[in-house]
Amino acid sequence: MNLAALDLNLLVALDALVTEAHVGRAALRVGLSQPAMSHALRRLREILHDPLLVRVGSGMELTPRAQGLREPLKQTLESVRGLFVADGFDPASSTRRFALMIPDYIINFVLPPLIGRIAAEAPGVRLDVTPWRGAPLQASGAIAPDIARRVDFAFNCRPGALPGFHRQRLFGDVDMLAVRRGHPQATKLKQMKVFLAARHVAVIGRGQDEDLIDSWLQQQGIQRRIALSVPSYLQALHTVARSDLVAFVPGRLIASLSRQLDLVALAPPLQPEGDEEYLFWPVRHQNDPGSLWLRRHILAVGRELDKQKRKPA
């Protein structure tokens, strides 16, 4: 192949196509019109002698050749980008995009102060937030490598969640009971008998068999009464706000939504050890000026959160 005749933009289009497996979404990803992306796909098919995307039923699927290109293509584009990245980082003029992978229970109280910190200093910087979804957690608790390569920062309570990433403690949290304001048993839920008789919401995330709180309770020889299970803390709190159910969830999340949902945080009859939340970033970005800049702001938000007191009702 004559590399001098190869349009680098085709590699960008190819990356979008093999990532999205959809012409329309790929076009949106890189800011092209759908006809322009379709034209790029035709050229790529001619160059690679492979259809790349084929129709299966009502959707499109990647060919084996296209699937095999996904990871080496991302690595190649990352290396190419590195050739043109300046050594410095000017927040005031930067239009850089940072990909942040954040669980739903952290988004509510981390993003608002973070946006407030960087808005005036870096008006052109964009944060692309992705929740913990996509490929499930591996048996070891680590995130699949293809997911890890897509993020600039990740937040998680598992210290070993991302091999190949540096980490630093962000803030601590404790689990509390969430009930609606006016709950008939609110003043009595600290009693073990009332706690066990209450109807609870369990939060069972993807790849889990049960709520992590229930795993801990069973180690104490205790089993609570589960009336409902949902996949996220936010769903649990929205349900609790409109019923007499009880949720055992991170205290900071209750505090962040207490006014909006009219919730009350209560101390449970027995308290698990506090959780430590960590900020992760790729080893390759350790000395990157842009990463250092945003890291400083995120860690500052974590320090402010640690200073705040969370008092149960």
Side-chain angles (χ1 to χ4, degrees), residues 5-275:
L6 180 63
D7 183 355
L8 184 60
N9 288 322
L10 283 178
L11 295 183
V12 176
L14 179 58
D15 178 56
L17 287 164
V18 299
T19 299
E20 299 291 346
H22 188 280
V23 174
R25 291 196 298 269
L28 288 173
R29 187 182 184 93
V30 297
L32 290 177
S33 66
Q34 187 160 331
M37 181 58 74
S38 297
H39 177 68
L41 177 57
R42 286 195 296 271
R43 292 185 62 193
L44 287 164
R45 284 169 168 168
E46 294 171 358
I47 293 171
L48 296 172
H49 306 292
D50 188 270
L52 300 175
L53 276 174
V54 294
R55 183 165 296 282
V56 177
S58 60
M60 302 290 286
E61 290 188 5
L62 299 177
T63 65
R65 175 76 187 281
Q67 292 174 357
L69 288 171
R70 295 178 71 174
E71 291 312 311
L73 182 59
K74 288 186 183 301
Q75 295 172 17
T76 299
L77 286 175
E78 186 172 307
S79 297
V80 172
R81 290 187 187 102
L83 296 175
F84 299 94
V85 173
D87 292 335
F89 176 79
D90 177 19
S93 61
S94 176
T95 57
R96 183 166 169 179
R97 295 169 62 168
F98 294 91
L100 283 64
M101 183 172 281
I102 312 179
D104 66 349
Y105 64 90
I106 295 180
I107 288 175
N108 270 58
F109 51 86
V110 166
L111 279 187
L114 179 59
I115 291 296
R117 289 185 62 91
I118 69 175
E121 186 177 341
V125 164
R126 170 172 161 175
L127 303 183
D128 294 330
V129 175
T130 302
W132 285 94
R133 56 184 169 83
L137 289 173
Q138 297 174 341
S140 63
I143 296 299
D146 63 321
I147 298 264
R149 291 191 190 99
R150 303 176 195 171
V151 300
D152 296 298
F153 292 96
F155 300 67
N156 202 265
C157 60
R158 294 181 176 90
L162 287 105
F165 278 56
H166 288 305
R167 75 169 187 269
Q168 187 167 336
R169 181 187 178 279
L170 191 57
F171 59 83
D173 201 358
V174 294
D175 291 314
M176 306 289 288
L177 298 180
V179 299
R180 68 173 177 84
R181 192 173 301 279
H183 189 286
Q185 300 294 318
T187 60
K188 301 178 181 179
L189 277 168
K190 193 172 178 62
Q191 302 172 25
M192 182 61 73
K193 181 178 180 180
V194 178
F195 171 82
L196 294 177
R199 300 170 71 240
H200 290 253
V201 181
V203 179
I204 304 177
R206 184 176 181 180
Q208 297 176 345
D209 296 324
E210 62 181 356
D211 192 319
L212 296 179
I213 283 293
D214 289 307
S215 301
W216 180 81
L217 287 172
Q218 289 166 20
Q219 293 173 7
Q220 319 308 313
I222 297 169
Q223 186 170 357
R224 61 179 179 159
R225 181 184 175 192
I226 304 298
L228 172 72
S229 68
V230 295
S232 79
Y233 290 118
L234 290 178
Q235 291 171 341
L237 290 184
H238 277 276
T239 302
V240 163
R242 294 167 176 79
S243 69
D244 286 338
L245 297 180
V246 178
F248 209 147
V249 301
R252 292 190 187 278
L253 181 58
I254 305 173
S256 71
L257 293 172
S258 59
R259 290 186 180 181
Q260 177 183 341
L261 298 181
D262 206 16
L263 296 170
V264 176
L266 305 172
L270 69 173
Q271 180 70 63
E273 291 185 8
D275 295 321

